[in-house]
């Protein structure tokens, strides 16, 4: 399961916030009210140089829930979020060579898309399934969790239509919560049967679509844009705040991972100051260290033939069993699944 960025990392252009502000403006709600407490000003939402965090977008969503009387707000926001708003990530998806590649790349580069949820996809003989395994786990309220799911599902449908060049609705949509009073909106915006009280939140497509060629498919353009997305993902890890500096120190010498005191010394500050500054960014040293080890572990498993025990030793674990337990905690999967 690809990890989402730390909630306070300012990595993303404010296109999702802008779309939400636009939808609420049509309801007569002022941008300043939608943005209250987010740290984003109305002037910044169309500034290409401004970077925002997942937490800032979540703040705007919470405000929208309180301010809007229209239950269609998250659906309208998702329908407005076309792939062209997502920069290189969006263009990489639009130029891929098949809808199967689109599903794969959507997961691989999801970190670039202001991700409020993690996503997975699985292919079966008769269906392809988007899954949202952490829906409601990280949401502070059920209302915000449902709002995010409604917006996320609608933008998924919108994105596939952008890529395919035609309407390409799911066969079914599953939701892990009871049907709300506005359940009819789900079918209206998603264009498919919607089932509630299900085990997991999922979008289910006919696997027959996977071989179809996107309208803008181009082999060279696709390769160039994917290479650029790879570089952007690398840059997001090392370019933001004190969290990014800690990440960079930990990644600079794979196989040798200094403790908090060692990193603080490398950054020319006390460990107490480092802890305080990380808290101000909404994270901790242990969370970043886990992110580093998780990223390296998945990279080694996917791109090398090293044994699990060798990778465990390289990452500083005492044995393979401890490594496998950590991997399960980080990703929900074991070494074999990741490979």
């Amino acid at each position: 399961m690809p990890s989402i960025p730390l909630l306070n990392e300012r990595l993303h252009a404010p296109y999702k916030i802008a779309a939400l502000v636009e939808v609420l403006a049509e309801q007569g709600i002022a941008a300043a009210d939608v943005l209250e407490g987010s740290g984003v000003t109305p002037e910044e939402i169309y500034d290409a140089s401004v970077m925002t965090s997942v937490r800032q977008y979540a703040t705007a969503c919470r405000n929208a829930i309180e301010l809007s009387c229209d239950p269609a707000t998250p659906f309208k926001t998702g329908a407005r979020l076309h792939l062209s708003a997502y920069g290189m990530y969006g263009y990489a998806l639009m130029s891929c060579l098949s809808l199967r590649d689109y599903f794969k790349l959507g997961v691989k580069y999801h970190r670039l898309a202001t991700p409020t949820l993690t996503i997975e996809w699985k292919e079966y003989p008769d269906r392809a399934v988007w899954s949202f395994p952490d829906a409601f786990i990280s949401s502070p309220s059920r209302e915000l969790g449902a709002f995010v799911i409604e917006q996320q599902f609608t933008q998924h449908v919108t994105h596939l239509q952008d890529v395919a060049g035609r309407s390409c609705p799911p066969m079914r949509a599953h939701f892990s919560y009871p049907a709300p009073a506005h359940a009819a909106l789900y079918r209206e915006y998603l264009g498919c049967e919607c089932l509630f009280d299900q085990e997991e939140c999922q979008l289910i497509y006919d696997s027959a679509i996977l071989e179809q060629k996107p309208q803008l498919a181009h082999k060279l353009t696709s390769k160039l844009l994917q290479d650029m997305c790879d570089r952007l993902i690398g840059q997001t890890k090392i370019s933001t705040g004190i969290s990014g500096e800690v990440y960079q120190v930990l990644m600079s010498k794979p196989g040798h991972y200094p403790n908090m005191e060692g990193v603080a010394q490398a950054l020319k500050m006390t460990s107490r100051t480092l802890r305080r500054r990380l808290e101000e960014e909404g994270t901790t040293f242990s969370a970043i260290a886990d992110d580093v080890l998780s990223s390296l572990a998945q990279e080694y498993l996917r791109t090398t033939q090293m044994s699990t025990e060798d990778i465990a030793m390289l990452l500083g674990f005492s044995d393979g069993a401890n490594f496998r337990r950590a991997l399960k905690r980080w990703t929900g999967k074991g070494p074999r699944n990741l490979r």
Side-chain angles (χ1 to χ4, degrees):
M1 183 191 306
S3 63
I4 64 174
L6 300 170
L7 293 181
N8 277 347
E9 289 183 310
R10 297 194 182 197
L11 308 175
H12 314 286
Y15 50 85
K16 284 189 177 180
I17 296 176
L20 183 58
V21 167
E22 290 168 1
V23 169
L24 290 172
E26 293 168 359
Q27 301 171 27
I29 299 171
D33 293 334
V34 182
L35 299 172
E36 184 177 356
S38 69
V40 182
T41 68
E43 296 74 29
E44 289 177 324
I45 62 173
Y46 298 112
D47 186 340
S49 67
V50 171
M51 293 288 104
T52 60
S53 68
V54 172
R55 191 180 296 281
Q56 288 175 303
Y57 179 62
T59 298
C61 289
R62 282 195 294 271
N63 291 340
I65 292 169
E66 294 178 4
L67 294 166
S68 175
C69 297
D70 184 358
T73 293
F75 299 97
K76 291 177 179 178
T77 303
R80 193 174 295 232
L81 284 165
H82 291 280
L83 277 175
S84 57
Y86 287 71
M88 293 301 166
Y89 170 77
Y91 291 115
L93 295 182
M94 286 191 285
S95 65
C96 61
L97 303 184
S98 70
L99 293 188
R100 178 179 285 106
D101 286 342
Y102 160 76
F103 274 74
K104 291 179 180 178
L105 296 178
V107 172
K108 181 178 180 180
Y109 298 131
H110 189 223
R111 186 182 176 88
L112 300 174
T114 322
T116 50
L117 301 166
T118 51
I119 61 172
E120 295 180 339
W121 91 284
K122 293 181 181 178
E123 181 179 351
Y124 300 91
D126 62 340
R127 67 196 188 281
V129 181
W130 288 111
S131 297
F132 304 82
D134 66 350
F136 296 101
I137 293 175
S138 58
S139 294
S141 71
R142 177 157 294 276
E143 291 78 13
L144 179 59
F147 187 99
V148 168
I149 284 288
E150 290 165 353
Q151 182 244 296
Q152 182 84 34
F153 273 44
T154 310
Q155 75 184 43
H156 269 266
V157 171
T158 301
H159 293 172
L160 189 54
Q161 181 171 319
D162 290 342
V163 172
R166 58 179 178 80
S167 178
C168 198
M171 294 193 298
R172 293 188 310 282
H174 289 180
F175 302 91
S176 61
Y177 49 88
H182 57 276
L185 289 174
Y186 284 68
R187 187 178 187 96
E188 177 185 342
Y189 279 91
L190 303 182
C192 67
E193 179 184 17
C194 297
L195 304 177
F196 296 88
D197 289 315
Q198 301 298 300
E199 184 176 342
E200 193 172 26
C201 291
Q202 295 180 326
L203 278 172
I204 302 167
Y205 286 88
D206 187 337
S207 61
I209 71 170
L210 296 178
E211 298 297 336
Q212 293 179 19
K213 188 176 180 179
Q215 61 172 341
L216 299 178
H218 190 280
K219 190 171 185 178
L220 178 59
T221 301
S222 179
K223 178 65 168 63
L224 290 172
L225 291 172
Q226 287 179 48
D227 287 346
M228 194 167 296
C229 286
D230 288 334
R231 289 195 294 274
L232 286 172
I233 283 181
Q235 290 167 11
T236 64
K237 291 282 194 177
I238 62 173
S239 63
T240 53
I242 196 66
S243 305
E245 292 183 43
V246 171
Y247 196 101
Q248 191 169 23
V249 171
L250 291 173
M251 287 290 278
S252 63
K253 296 179 180 178
H256 173 69
Y257 305 101
N259 58 20
M260 187 170 183
E261 287 71 26
V263 171
Q265 186 176 10
L267 296 176
K268 303 187 186 316
M269 65 180 70
T270 65
S271 57
R272 182 176 180 179
T273 298
L274 177 58
R275 182 180 293 107
R276 175 178 55 77
R277 291 186 61 183
L278 289 173
E279 287 175 354
E280 289 171 354
E281 294 185 6
T283 189
T284 63
F285 180 82
S286 62
I288 299 171
D290 271 2
D291 192 20
V292 169
L293 293 176
S294 174
S295 297
L296 289 173
Q298 293 178 69
E299 183 69 17
Y300 291 146
L301 285 166
R302 288 168 176 159
T303 64
T304 78
Q305 297 300 313
M306 286 192 294
S307 68
T308 300
E309 284 68 27
D310 286 343
I311 294 174
M313 184 173 63
L314 187 61
L315 295 178
F317 287 88
S318 58
D319 55 49
N322 283 331
F323 170 62
R324 284 188 286 272
R325 280 194 289 272
L327 199 64
K328 188 74 172 177
R329 174 167 56 85
W330 294 330
T331 70
K333 297 179 180 179
R336 183 176 299 178
N337 298 118
L338 289 167
R339 278 191 151 142

